[in-house]
Amino acid sequence: MDQKPLFPKDFHWGAASSAFQVEGGIENMDWAQAAREGRVPLIGAACDHYHRYNEDFDLVKELGHNAYRFSVEWARIEPEEGVFSEDALEHYVEVLRALHVRGITPYVTLWHFTLPLWFSESGGWERKDAPQLFARYCGRVVQKLGPLSTHFATINEPVVYASNGWIRGIWPPFHIFSPIRGMGIIKPVLEKDEQPAKTLYTPRAYVRIRRALARAHNRAYHRIKAECPTAQVSIVKNVIVFEGGGNPVHRLMAFVMNYHWTFSFMRKVAKRCDEIGLNYYFYRRFGDTATYEKTDMHWDMVPEKIESALCILWRYKKPLYVAEAGLADAADSRRAAYIRGTVRGIGRALNRGVTVTGCMYWSLLDNYELAAGFEYRFGLIEVNYDTLERTVRPSAYVYKSIIEAHGTNLEDSV
Ligand code: BGC
């Protein structure tokens, strides 16, 4: 039987969201533009969290959370290059105050996938000065919000972003890498007047983007520290746990994939992190023949393996927090078990000596899932997109009881 997990008394229990997935009404950014072009589903008013955050934070409080991770929207804050909107910054000051009066610790993410149009249309992360521009933006935000928050994450899931935008071609800017076609050896055969659906890219572009993102983080780190020396700066890294079992070939494959997905990026930024955020969704064991229960998105449910994801990041010896872990489950029939498994996995990592300071379930509210729209339901709180009414799901109360017991009641049928 497991040792009881040692969750510290000041552990941060909460949920996460990102601006464009819940706020609504952001039109001057690349995803909104892609939606207007019919390349991704429309976002529109989303959950209208921009106007309803007080109501939502009342629920957060009622659910026993003591932390909340959210992102601020670059396109609102810097709508034109070098022009910062005081109104937008004031809005986020109000959001932070609303958290503080409820005793909820904020974790602010400065960039969660969406780009202001002036930036994306002038080359985005391919611009030579992109890291400087990003660092300037981060510095300005922290100058304003620094007095109200300790935790600032620069970039959410840099490798996912680069791979979906420059390899798989499913997110803006929709560049696709095909090993042969991407090198220009084979050109796509197009009918007369037909436009190529995606731009074919070489892997060099993908590597360049990853490098630019690492540089952007490192520059932003220094800017943030200059504005607010006490800020705890992190990057949020999606870790896919690759394992190989007993077979040496599978072990080699797992090593290569963990290196490619996690270590090769983290080694560039880890020194400039005071803490590191983990997003965990996927476990891959080469040669695995087991079948797993699936989420609504057909992702395998292996929540306990978050323990391995935490151990993977622990090699950098920085305090870790779980910035996201969760599932799409419209019926709410698997979410409670998933949360229990996640907390169990974190507890095991704590018992192995890994420093973990928080757990934010993804997501607080149902929201716009990239690039699938509003069909998939990740929320502890259900959102009716016609009326914008919120309904707390039963699993949210299970999470509440886990929080109240500090993760010691996982064997009970809570
Ligand atoms: C992202 C979220 C997303 C979630 C579920 C994470 O990769 O940070 O924005 O909604 O996964 O797909």
Side-chain angles (χ1 to χ4, degrees), residues 192-244:
K192 190 170 164 295
D193 295 334
E194 195 190 348
Q195 294 297 315
K198 324 236 166 145
T199 323
L200 302 180
Y201 255 58
T202 69
R204 282 218 310 270
Y206 164 70
V207 172
R208 259 204 323 269
I209 296 305
R210 285 179 50 144
R211 222 180 276 141
L213 293 171
R215 276 199 204 112
H217 167 83
N218 290 338
R219 272 185 176 263
Y221 178 84
H222 293 298
R223 279 299 275 264
I224 294 170
K225 288 297 211 186
E227 293 297 342
C228 184
T230 55
Q232 294 299 292
V233 182
S234 60
I235 198 154
V236 174
K237 181 70 185 73
N238 171 298
V239 172
I240 301 176
V241 174
F242 292 100
E243 284 184 356

Side-chain angles (χ1 to χ4, degrees), residues 18 21 112-113 156-157 160 238 279 281 297 299 324 362 367-370 378:
S18 90
Q21 292 178 272
H112 197 119
F113 299 146
N156 181 67
E157 298 192 341
V160 171
N238 171 298
N279 288 1
Y281 293 95
M297 292 185 79
W299 297 354
E324 287 180 33
W362 182 270
N367 60 64
Y368 179 92
E369 173 60 12
L370 330 101
F378 278 83

Side-chain angles (χ1 to χ4, degrees), residues 379-400:
L380 292 172
I381 299 169
E382 180 185 344
V383 176
N384 175 328
Y385 292 112
D386 296 326
T387 61
L388 294 174
E389 191 190 342
R390 275 67 166 149
T391 309
V392 175
R393 292 201 163 97
S395 57
Y397 291 109
V398 173
Y399 188 32
K400 180 179 183 178

Side-chain angles (χ1 to χ4, degrees), residues 52-184:
R52 293 169 195 246
Y53 62 88
N54 271 301
E55 176 193 329
D56 292 335
F57 295 165
D58 284 343
L59 293 174
V60 168
K61 182 85 194 140
E62 184 193 315
L63 291 174
H65 300 191
N66 62 2
Y68 177 56
R69 171 179 178 238
F70 69 101
S71 72
V72 296
E73 186 64 38
W74 188 357
R76 285 192 197 278
I77 293 172
E78 192 178 355
E80 289 169 49
E81 184 166 350
V83 178
F84 292 89
S85 158
E86 266 309 304
D87 286 355
L89 287 164
E90 273 304 321
H91 169 81
Y92 291 116
V93 165
E94 289 309 317
V95 170
L96 288 170
R97 288 204 181 114
L99 290 169
H100 281 296
V101 295
R102 292 170 177 83
I104 299 164
T105 300
Y107 280 71
V108 179
T109 302
L110 293 155
W111 182 61
H112 197 119
F113 299 146
T114 47
L115 297 174
L117 275 181
W118 63 261
F119 183 70
S120 60
E121 288 181 345
S122 60
W125 290 108
E126 298 190 55
R127 274 178 74 144
K128 280 220 159 44
D129 58 353
Q132 287 95 307
L133 295 174
F134 179 69
R136 179 179 65 181
Y137 153 72
C138 291
R140 183 69 189 91
V141 176
V142 173
Q143 187 184 62
K144 186 81 181 181
L145 306 187
L148 287 161
S149 181
T150 306
H151 305 279
F152 287 97
T154 54
I155 297 177
N156 181 67
E157 298 192 341
V159 178
V160 171
Y161 175 77
S163 114
N164 284 346
W166 275 264
I167 296 266
R168 301 174 69 206
I170 56 172
W171 289 3
F174 304 105
H175 298 317
I176 196 161
F177 163 59
S178 129
I180 303 173
R181 294 190 305 169
M183 284 181 235

